[in-house]
Amino acid sequence: MIWQKYFVRFLLFLLFYNFALSFAQDSSFITNSNFPHVKWIAEYPSIEKENKSFSEKMNSIIFGKKPCFLSKPMNIVAQNPNSFWVLDQGSEKIFQISNNSLKNNRFLSQELTGFSSLVGICTINNSKILFTDSHLKSIYLIDLNKKQVTRLNDSLSLARPTGIAYSKVNNEIWVVETAKHRISVLNQKGEIIKTIGGRGNSYGEFNYPTFIWIDKFGTAYIVDTMNFRVQMFNKNGEFISAFGQIGDATGYFARPKGIATDSYGNIYVVDALFHVVQVFDKAGTYLYRFGEQGQGKAQFWMPTGIYIDKDNFIYVADSYNSRIQIFKLEVNDI
């Protein structure tokens, strides 16, 4: 019948239209040679050093078996691809990686252990590192010159501290208090100067925020996890803008985790359930993504933390693959 013929044509048109639309929106099909792209560089530990089977990884994650290398890396801070620090929640340790190997010294092995809920890490300068332990409700300071680890302000007790970042513009420490749905701003002594937010879904409010990043201008990017969005604040803690919503397509969020910006101001957000890193411009417009679920190069299994250094090397804590993957942002000349 004639109507059946046209109905089939209509269905084919819809199928083609949806495919073309998804093709145009999917950044993996971008062919502009001047568009930036991310190149895989390395991983730690390398496959040659530790080729764990799936069952060995699951034993490490579920039963807490102590690994020789990484177990469940949560976050990372780096100077360059040959020198970085890793928070490993699975082994309850903090590792210093130097030249693709664990830096084995007495200071690290004796003192940087026993942290059951490591989440956030940042640097103040080349000799001081801050990290949070959500379960211990505290911020800790690693002083590399003095070779000691101390609690930042013994009288300070935070409600499930997670993400942490340091503003070089204001010399302030911004820490996410997930259980209080707010950001606490501290001086370098660990004294609270002010707080930002409270529970809600309006701009400037949060619903279980987690990770945070502060760029060189003092702009803070906060992952408002259960509101499925990113909120941005200026150096004074004033709301600037927000982007994101829950969804199962590119540009949406399912379980947003770590966040960072590159030297061009683009915003990188790790999504654990999508097993990808999504990239947005300064206005929050989706640009492209990299990664997919798997255990090979440039594949992730529930990634968590991310860090981008001054040379646009990108470090991703590939948590359930028990490794750190390193990428490089490349922009072709016009």
Side-chain angles (χ1 to χ4, degrees), residues 129-196:
I129 298 172
L130 296 171
F131 66 90
T132 63
D133 188 299
S134 180
H135 178 72
L136 297 177
K137 304 178 182 179
S138 299
I139 300 171
Y140 293 88
L141 171 67
I142 303 173
D143 191 319
L144 298 178
N145 291 333
K146 296 181 180 179
K147 293 189 175 181
Q148 65 180 17
V149 183
T150 57
R151 186 178 173 189
L152 184 70
N153 187 355
D154 289 335
S155 64
L156 179 67
S157 180
L158 301 169
R160 199 176 155 201
T162 50
I164 190 169
Y166 180 72
S167 172
K168 294 181 179 179
V169 175
N170 292 344
N171 295 318
E172 295 173 342
I173 301 163
W174 290 42
V175 60
V176 179
E177 288 192 85
T178 299
K180 286 190 176 180
H181 313 279
R182 72 182 189 185
I183 312 302
S184 287
V185 181
L186 320 174
N187 59 24
Q188 292 194 51
K189 295 180 180 179
E191 300 165 336
I192 295 180
I193 302 171
K194 62 185 175 184
T195 61
I196 302 169

Side-chain angles (χ1 to χ4, degrees), residues 73-76 86-89 94 115-122 130-135 138 160-164 176 178 209-212 257-258 304-306 317:
M74 290 293 292
N75 218 333
I76 184 172
V86 181
L87 299 183
D88 192 59
Q89 198 173 89
I94 302 168
F115 298 100
S116 61
S117 187
L118 295 163
V119 182
I121 186 170
C122 70
L130 296 171
F131 66 90
T132 63
D133 188 299
S134 180
H135 178 72
S138 299
R160 199 176 155 201
T162 50
I164 190 169
V176 179
T178 299
T210 49
F211 291 84
I212 182 173
K257 298 287 185 179
T304 308
I306 187 171

Side-chain angles (χ1 to χ4, degrees), residues 79-84 97-100 315 326:
Q79 289 185 326
N80 55 63
N82 292 317
S83 179
F84 50 92
I97 314 300
S98 181
N99 295 319
N100 202 32
Y315 309 78
I326 303 174

Side-chain angles (χ1 to χ4, degrees), residues 84-282:
F84 50 92
W85 291 74
V86 181
L87 299 183
D88 192 59
Q89 198 173 89
S91 63
E92 302 182 2
K93 293 181 180 180
I94 302 168
F95 293 112
Q96 183 182 9
I97 314 300
S98 181
N99 295 319
N100 202 32
S101 63
L102 291 178
K103 187 171 182 179
N104 186 15
N105 59 46
R106 187 176 180 184
F107 163 58
L108 284 174
S109 61
Q110 286 193 349
E111 297 192 45
L112 298 187
T113 61
F115 298 100
S116 61
S117 187
L118 295 163
V119 182
I121 186 170
C122 70
T123 58
I124 293 181
N125 52 45
N126 291 333
S127 63
K128 292 183 178 180
I129 298 172
L130 296 171
F131 66 90
T132 63
D133 188 299
S134 180
H135 178 72
L136 297 177
K137 304 178 182 179
S138 299
I139 300 171
Y140 293 88
L141 171 67
I142 303 173
D143 191 319
L144 298 178
N145 291 333
K146 296 181 180 179
K147 293 189 175 181
Q148 65 180 17
V149 183
T150 57
R151 186 178 173 189
L152 184 70
N153 187 355
D154 289 335
S155 64
L156 179 67
S157 180
L158 301 169
R160 199 176 155 201
T162 50
I164 190 169
Y166 180 72
S167 172
K168 294 181 179 179
V169 175
N170 292 344
N171 295 318
E172 295 173 342
I173 301 163
W174 290 42
V175 60
V176 179
E177 288 192 85
T178 299
K180 286 190 176 180
H181 313 279
R182 72 182 189 185
I183 312 302
S184 287
V185 181
L186 320 174
N187 59 24
Q188 292 194 51
K189 295 180 180 179
E191 300 165 336
I192 295 180
I193 302 171
K194 62 185 175 184
T195 61
I196 302 169
R199 191 167 194 181
N201 56 18
S202 298
Y203 292 146
E205 297 178 332
F206 303 100
N207 189 18
Y208 293 103
T210 49
F211 291 84
I212 182 173
W213 175 271
I214 297 179
D215 66 19
K216 62 183 179 181
F217 303 107
T219 302
Y221 305 79
I222 299 161
V223 177
D224 189 6
T225 303
M226 297 312 295
N227 279 327
F228 303 95
R229 65 185 178 183
V230 171
Q231 295 199 64
M232 290 171 276
F233 296 79
N234 67 17
K235 64 181 182 180
N236 299 317
E238 299 166 337
F239 174 81
I240 299 174
S241 61
F243 67 90
Q245 58 183 302
I246 189 172
D248 59 1
T250 52
Y252 292 80
F253 296 131
R255 281 296 180 271
K257 298 287 185 179
I259 188 167
T261 60
D262 63 25
S263 63
Y264 301 95
N266 296 320
I267 305 163
Y268 296 63
V269 184
V270 176
D271 199 296
L273 284 189
F274 288 159
H275 312 281
V276 300
V277 177
Q278 298 195 89
V279 186
F280 303 82
D281 67 14
K282 297 175 183 178

